[in-house]
Amino acid sequence: MKHLLTAALIALASPAAAADKLTLMLDWFVNPDHAPIVIAQDKGFFRDAGLDVEIVAPADPADPPRLVAAGKADLAVSYQPQLHLQVHEGLPLVRVGTLVGTPLNCLMVRADGPVKSIADLKGRKIGFSVAGVEQAIVAALLDRAGLTLDDVQMVHVNWSLTPALLSGQVDATIGGYRNFELTQMRMAGSEGRCFYVEEEGLPAYDELILIANRDRLKAEGPERDRINRFMAALERGTQFMLNHPEEARSLFAAHAPDLGDELNTAAWKDTFGRFAISPAALDSGRYARFEAFLVDAGLVPEALAVDRLAIDPGAAP
């Protein structure tokens, strides 16, 4: 009995195992697109998985993939279309999870403006933020209407998509999200209209994904184990949102002062059904089809095998 008591006292005195640190770079400031991450953090699901997750918003949205590639962050929220191009550029990145499993991007115009169809874009200006893939998307949309990029003027407006459209600087924008920019238009006293890219000829894709450094992700070892635990906790966050939507909404709004404002409240509603229910699960066909699209668009020389671009980290190697 004495030995059992001594063992119990030793166990109580021993410190708990330290949580494994993991740094996650967001793609932008915290917003409803990141809701399952916020819920998993605030509900303690990452802690339950033995993780100490540091969530960092970037100073520049272009930074997160390059920080992961340089080994300065463990995971980053990024975008499937950009991942394809970055891997072709030689960055050692790989998709390990999906956050938002549908496109959010749309070609947006003013509802009261002259553009009623894609064909009406001829001779008009289209604002964009990210060079490369967004021109390819516009080219694919125009092609169905018998137009090419030579028939429009692409205008780089940085990240000021909605102001550029509202001011008349451009007649349409590409790269704005249907769950944010449409509400911004409405709040500014105007109405926008979206041409949804997946309804206009583009292959469907995962809008927001989680990427890791391929070189650090061994078939077996601590890196893959930490990422698997992260994905399991993220899945718990998504399940909690689905099972307890009102509590989840209140928890999210309390995370930061502006997350309960009009824009974020509307974005929460517009984003809610788009989260991946099983974040680690991989739809290989999506990556193969988008890779083929990029080849056809002339943006990449040849199609890479899907496992160069994306994996399910919990699947057998």
Side-chain angles (χ1 to χ4, degrees):
M1 186 69 178
K2 181 179 179 181
H3 294 301
L4 290 175
L5 180 59
T6 302
L9 290 172
I10 292 172
L12 288 172
S14 299
D20 292 324
K21 293 187 178 298
L22 186 148
T23 301
L24 169 67
M25 295 290 301
L26 300 180
D27 59 311
W28 197 242
F29 52 83
V30 176
N31 63 70
D33 289 347
H34 310 126
I37 297 170
V38 171
I39 297 299
Q41 181 81 310
D42 289 358
K43 289 292 292 181
F45 297 153
F46 291 136
R47 183 180 63 248
D48 292 348
L51 296 173
D52 177 9
V53 177
E54 181 185 10
I55 300 172
V56 182
D60 183 335
D63 287 344
R66 303 193 183 280
L67 290 172
V68 170
K72 296 181 179 179
D74 299 299
L75 291 172
V77 176
S78 192
Y79 317 95
Q80 182 187 337
Q82 278 79 2
L83 171 69
H84 289 259
L85 299 181
Q86 289 160 349
V87 173
H88 277 278
E89 291 170 4
L91 293 182
L93 301 173
V94 65
R95 172 269 183 209
V96 292
T98 298
L99 189 58
V100 175
T102 73
L104 295 175
N105 193 0
C106 75
L107 189 142
M108 189 168 68
V109 300
R110 294 180 66 121
D112 60 356
V115 180
K116 306 301 182 185
S117 69
I118 296 294
D120 294 333
L121 289 168
K122 185 173 183 178
R124 301 191 184 276
K125 298 177 181 179
I126 302 175
F128 71 97
S129 298
V130 181
V133 71
E134 288 185 352
Q135 281 95 329
I137 289 173
V138 170
L141 302 184
L142 293 173
D143 183 64
R144 295 189 78 193
L147 303 176
T148 70
L149 286 175
D150 291 335
D151 295 306
V152 300
Q153 182 181 348
M154 299 295 294
V155 179
H156 190 260
V157 297
N158 291 315
W159 301 101
S160 298
L161 294 168
T162 301
L165 185 58
L166 285 169
S167 67
Q169 179 184 352
V170 297
D171 304 292
T173 61
I174 190 69
Y177 279 1
R178 63 195 71 172
N179 59 335
F180 275 93
E181 270 73 9
L182 283 176
T183 299
Q184 284 184 326
M185 290 281 287
R186 192 159 51 248
M187 289 173 61
S190 185
E191 289 291 332
R193 177 189 174 192
C194 266
F195 293 94
Y196 301 121
V197 295
E198 72 275 22
E199 294 180 358
E200 300 290 341
L202 253 74
Y205 57 87
D206 298 333
E207 190 68 65
L208 289 182
I209 59 173
L210 291 144
I211 57 173
N213 185 307
R214 169 177 285 282
D215 293 343
R216 296 175 63 189
L217 196 62
K218 306 297 183 183
E220 302 289 343
E223 192 76 10
R224 184 179 289 260
D225 174 65
R226 283 192 306 151
I227 289 174
N228 279 329
R229 283 185 279 143
F230 178 92
M231 292 302 161
L234 184 63
E235 185 167 340
R236 284 186 69 190
T238 307
Q239 290 170 344
F240 183 87
M241 290 176 60
L242 294 174
N243 292 335
H244 310 281
E246 293 304 319
E247 184 180 351
R249 170 62 195 147
S250 297
L251 187 65
F252 178 79
H255 183 79
D258 62 339
L259 294 181
D261 65 15
E262 181 182 356
L263 176 59
N264 281 288
T265 298
W268 172 276
K269 179 181 177 181
D270 292 340
T271 314
F272 191 84
R274 297 180 179 274
F275 294 110
I277 296 174
S278 180
L282 172 64
D283 182 345
S284 297
R286 285 196 161 191
Y287 288 78
R289 288 188 292 271
F290 204 85
E291 187 75 353
F293 161 70
L294 293 174
V295 172
D296 290 343
L299 283 178
V300 299
E302 60 182 356
L304 296 175
V306 169
D307 62 7
R308 287 279 306 281
L309 302 160
I311 62 169
D312 177 341

